[in-house]
């Protein structure tokens, strides 16, 4: 008895489809892992670099994202915006966003000032907090946005004291008429003088990179492709009679 390979068209086509799908999805997950690794390197470099001074000159978001920055100016007190559904340590709350007019210019930057708890009894009651008067200097980390959560339907126009799911600087520029940088600054160091906005929690969540997760998914898809080939080959062999 000898082993004879018998080619069958339908299993061959099915194997090709599985292999193509597995390789494509594996490559996609590998690219995602590479992108996250590059972002991880950028975060590390930004954390150790000298803070960038924002002086009012227009900047592209990609050039400053994840950089430490420092900026002096005044808060636009009458344009706070509250991001809803931002829990912290199991408590419901808001992220407070407020435009910040950069000293010596007409440019503003949107500052994520911190987290505030929500009143559990009155959902739309705004929490109390202090806003520094006059020129202050703050430090923080520049980000493309303040984070996004799922939102059904079209986003409503922004207005002072609005409670919204998401907001970005360009949207605020359009609805407020203020000239805005296209990025957000997550405030880190306390404003000067210190202590006047101590109600705000600035324990910002670290970005979830998940490099290992993407690498694991890529391995699974490549393994599926390899198994499909092995299955096709093994099942193609049948015992035949010797002459």
């Amino acid at each position: 008895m000898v082993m004879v390979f018998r080619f069958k068209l339908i299993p061959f086509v099915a194997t090709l489809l599985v292999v193509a799908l597995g390789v494509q999805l594996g490559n996609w997950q590998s690219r995602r892992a590479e992108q996250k690794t590059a972002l991880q390197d950028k975060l590390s470099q930004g954390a150790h670099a000298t803070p960038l001074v924002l002086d009012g000159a227009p900047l592209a978001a990609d050039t400053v994202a994840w950089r430490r920055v420092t900026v002096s100016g005044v808060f636009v007190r009458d344009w706070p915006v509250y991001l809803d559904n931002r829990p912290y340590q199991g408590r419901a709350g808001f992220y407070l966003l407020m435009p910040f007019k950069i000293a010596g210019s007409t440019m503003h930057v949107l500052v994520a000032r911190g987290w505030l708890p929500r009143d559990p009894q009155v959902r739309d009651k705004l929490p109390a907090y202090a806003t520094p008067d006059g020129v202050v200097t703050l430090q923080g980390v520049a980000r493309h946005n303040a984070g996004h959560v799922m939102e059904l339907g079209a986003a409503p126009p922004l207005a002072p004291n609005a409670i919204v799911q998401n907001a970005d600087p360009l949207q605020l520029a359009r609805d407020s008429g203020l000239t805005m940088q296209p990025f957000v600054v997550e405030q880190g160091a306390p404003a000067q003088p210190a202590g006047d906005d101590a109600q705000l929690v600035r324990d910002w969540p670290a970005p979830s990179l998940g490099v290992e997760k993407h690498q694991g998914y890529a391995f699974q898809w490549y393994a599926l492709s390899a198994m499909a080939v092995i299955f096709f080959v093994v099942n193609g062999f049948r015992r035949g009679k010797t002459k």
Side-chain angles (χ1 to χ4, degrees):
M1 301 292 290
V2 296
M3 299 298 293
V4 179
F5 183 79
R6 297 179 180 178
F7 178 84
K8 294 183 178 180
L9 180 61
I10 294 179
F12 176 72
V13 173
T15 300
L16 284 181
L17 292 175
V18 172
V19 170
L21 178 64
V23 170
Q24 288 182 2
L25 291 176
N27 289 342
W28 179 74
Q29 290 290 351
S30 294
R31 289 193 297 270
R32 291 290 291 156
E34 292 171 357
Q35 292 169 357
K36 295 295 182 68
T37 299
L39 177 56
Q40 196 171 54
D41 294 340
K42 190 172 183 179
L43 285 172
S44 178
Q45 294 170 4
H48 294 91
T50 302
L52 175 68
V53 178
L54 304 182
D55 58 5
L59 297 169
D62 287 341
T63 64
V64 296
W66 307 111
R67 286 281 306 272
R68 290 192 301 142
V69 299
T70 182
V71 59
S72 296
V74 295
F75 283 107
V76 182
R77 302 165 62 92
D78 59 351
W79 250 100
V81 174
Y82 303 87
L83 296 187
D84 201 1
N85 292 319
R86 272 27 182 219
Y88 176 71
Q89 295 185 349
R91 300 176 64 192
F94 307 93
Y95 283 167
L96 170 62
L97 304 183
M98 190 175 287
F100 186 82
K101 186 175 183 295
I102 300 174
S105 76
T106 59
M107 181 66 75
H108 299 73
V109 63
L110 188 58
V111 175
R113 295 189 56 196
W115 179 88
L116 291 164
R118 168 189 281 165
D119 188 322
Q121 304 300 323
V122 184
R123 179 180 176 83
D124 58 354
K125 182 179 180 180
L126 297 175
Y129 58 89
T131 299
D133 290 314
V135 177
V136 296
T137 298
L138 58 87
Q139 293 185 354
V141 175
R143 294 190 57 172
H144 286 93
N145 54 62
H148 284 273
V149 298
M150 183 180 295
E151 183 173 12
L152 300 178
L158 296 179
N161 293 310
I163 299 175
V164 295
Q165 299 299 314
N166 301 293
D168 64 68
L170 298 183
Q171 180 188 10
L172 191 141
R174 182 179 64 248
D175 295 337
S176 68
L178 300 174
T179 304
M180 302 290 300
Q181 296 281 16
F183 53 86
V184 175
V185 173
E186 284 185 346
Q187 186 175 348
Q192 301 296 329
D196 57 358
D197 58 356
Q199 307 97 322
L200 293 153
V201 178
R202 298 195 179 102
D203 184 15
W204 300 109
S208 178
L209 299 179
V211 175
E212 295 81 5
K213 179 184 69 175
H214 291 294
Q215 291 172 336
Y217 287 156
F219 175 79
Q220 291 175 7
W221 285 116
Y222 291 141
L224 175 64
S225 298
M227 289 176 62
V229 173
I230 294 172
F231 184 81
F232 172 74
V233 172
V234 169
N235 282 273
F237 280 101
R238 294 290 186 272
R239 292 184 181 274
K241 296 181 180 180
T242 57
K243 294 182 179 180

